[in-house]
Amino acid sequence: MYMRTALICVLVMAALLAVNWYRRERPYKEYSVRKVAGGGAADARMVTFGGRILRYSRAGAEVLGTGMTEIDKTPFEMTGPEARVNGSYALVLDRGGREACLFGRDGFIASLKTRGLIGNGAVSSGGNAVLIVKDGDISAYFTDGQNGLLETGITFEDFVPIDAAISGNEGTLVFAGIRPATGESEIRFYNKNNRELTASFVYENTVIPELFALPGGRVLAAGDNRVFIFRAGREPKELVSEEMDARILMAVSDGKRAVLLTDGAEGGSREITVWDASGRSASQETDFEAVSAALCGNEILLYNKSSLLIASVSGKIRFEGRTDEKGPLKACVRTGGGEYRVVTDYGAFEFDFE
């Protein structure tokens, strides 16, 4: 009787997993469209983080829950807001301005004011942030316990940082940049507590403009046609170094994984690759010409003004086709199930895929 009960439980669990897999991977056949109210400002953009949606524009940001219900609304004035996400936290920074705002699942956490101009920044899975700031010298300032920026930061010499990341253990700051004297790319690791340089990796003939923190204290670096994965911590180490077949066009990450889109080699099709803390986990070729990308849970969205591609993180393409009957696409995000919120020049719309 016990064995029969255990077997039934195993079969039920297997059936549930199979249904869940099918719902995640099955292709969409068609969709319906309806206009919705409250699309936000005309220049609004959207990202997902921790089961929430962050809708932001030059005038402020909103944290939205299931069904696009408003959880929190925060006004601000930014000239060029850009969002960075990691797990349950999001950072909106004003590139070229002097303010950044930190958000969690419940809404606004802190406003981060700087004396110099913000060049870039990142947020960790624990809710801490780092900002690269130019005020005469180029420095990096970070938060401690989400209570604003610390007064003392890291000032760089003979190194121009392009991007930053905070490792999953919250103790390591990582910067990717250029050595002006030689033109070489460099990736630097600093101890967050004492701000000491713990490791440096130098590369020739490649520019590494993007860093992404991944689980397990791993950091992915992407640039030109190369991908690296490092182990952060007391003794940083390069774990993966892979040369791609073509140039990297764009990259997105949610703190759990990273997705890269590469240009086709010698006029061939493009490739979508998914990376986790151990390396490449999935890939899929496509002819889709994307201008924007988003990572929404277990789905990858690539889109341009007229078309949308939806793929699973396992590499299966669920939909690819034109979606511009309501105007050119400006923003797209998955809101749940087969529902996607799309913003065009003519308002906000709900696309329901079947």
Side-chain angles (χ1 to χ4, degrees):
M1 181 180 66
Y2 293 127
M3 291 180 64
R4 186 164 56 246
T5 302
L7 179 60
I8 291 173
C9 291
V10 169
L11 291 175
V12 170
M13 185 176 297
L16 291 174
L17 290 174
V19 170
N20 187 49
W21 177 89
Y22 175 74
R23 293 181 62 185
R24 267 199 337 259
E25 304 287 335
R26 74 187 191 280
Y28 290 130
K29 294 183 179 180
E30 58 185 12
Y31 64 88
S32 58
V33 183
R34 62 183 178 87
K35 189 167 184 178
V36 295
D43 64 331
R45 288 180 281 177
M46 297 177 290
V47 294
T48 60
F49 72 107
R52 301 285 195 247
I53 294 172
L54 180 72
R55 182 167 60 196
Y56 64 99
S57 68
R58 291 189 295 267
E62 301 166 273
V63 176
L64 307 169
T66 305
M68 302 294 285
T69 55
E70 183 181 301
I71 295 175
D72 185 50
K73 186 172 183 178
T74 303
F76 52 62
E77 294 183 4
M78 295 188 185
T79 303
E82 297 182 9
R84 308 284 184 265
V85 301
N86 192 340
S88 297
Y89 294 92
L91 176 72
V92 178
L93 57 90
D94 190 8
R95 188 189 286 265
R98 290 183 169 84
E99 183 181 8
C101 290
L102 186 61
F103 297 89
R105 284 175 49 85
D106 296 329
F108 175 80
I109 294 175
S111 175
L112 310 176
K113 306 279 188 178
T114 63
R115 291 190 296 269
L117 301 179
I118 298 172
N120 212 335
V123 62
S124 73
S125 59
N128 281 304
V130 59
L131 296 175
I132 298 172
V133 178
K134 181 174 177 57
D135 184 14
D137 296 323
I138 300 178
S139 304
Y141 296 92
F142 45 90
T143 61
D144 188 6
Q146 304 168 10
N147 294 318
L149 295 174
L150 295 179
E151 288 291 331
T152 305
I154 298 171
T155 299
F156 302 100
E157 296 181 0
D158 302 322
F159 176 72
V160 179
I162 299 174
D163 200 8
I166 305 175
S167 72
N169 61 15
E170 300 291 322
T172 305
L173 297 169
V174 191
F175 301 93
I178 300 293
R179 288 181 169 185
T182 62
E184 297 169 314
S185 287
E186 184 178 3
I187 298 179
R188 292 187 173 189
F189 292 78
Y190 288 83
N191 183 300
K192 179 175 176 288
N193 296 321
N194 58 24
R195 305 169 189 81
E196 290 184 355
L197 179 67
T198 58
S200 170
F201 299 84
V202 180
Y203 302 96
E204 296 180 347
N205 303 318
T206 186
V207 177
I208 304 170
E210 294 184 277
L211 294 174
F212 302 106
L214 298 175
R218 303 302 193 256
V219 175
L220 182 144
D224 288 346
N225 65 338
R226 298 182 68 181
V227 178
F228 306 89
I229 295 179
F230 297 90
R231 181 190 66 200
R234 292 183 179 179
E235 297 182 0
K237 181 180 180 181
E238 180 189 287
L239 301 177
V240 175
S241 175
E242 182 172 331
E243 185 171 342
M244 309 293 285
D245 294 331
R247 180 171 54 96
I248 298 171
L249 298 175
M250 61 182 68
V252 291
S253 175
D254 58 2
K256 183 178 180 181
R257 58 177 67 89
V259 176
L260 309 181
L261 177 66
T262 56
D263 201 359
E266 299 180 356
S269 62
R270 300 183 175 191
E271 186 179 25
I272 305 167
T273 59
V274 182
W275 299 75
D276 57 26
S278 60
R280 185 195 295 233
S281 62
S283 61
Q284 174 67 52
E285 290 190 351
T286 178
D287 294 324
F288 192 84
E289 296 185 2
V291 297
S292 297
L295 184 54
C296 304
N298 291 316
E299 286 193 349
I300 305 161
L301 308 183
L302 301 179
Y303 57 96
N304 52 41
K305 288 185 177 181
S306 62
S307 304
L308 171 66
L309 182 147
I310 304 173
S312 68
V313 292
S314 64
K316 305 294 184 183
I317 293 181
R318 307 188 67 186
F319 174 84
E320 182 178 353
R322 295 187 67 93
T323 51
D324 59 346
E325 62 266 43
K326 298 299 182 180
L329 273 67
K330 297 172 61 179
C332 180
V333 70
R334 179 173 179 258
T335 57
E339 300 177 350
Y340 300 78
R341 178 63 59 93
V342 173
V343 178
T344 76
D345 289 334
Y346 305 107
F349 300 86
E350 195 77 41
F351 281 50
D352 298 321
F353 285 82
E354 298 178 0

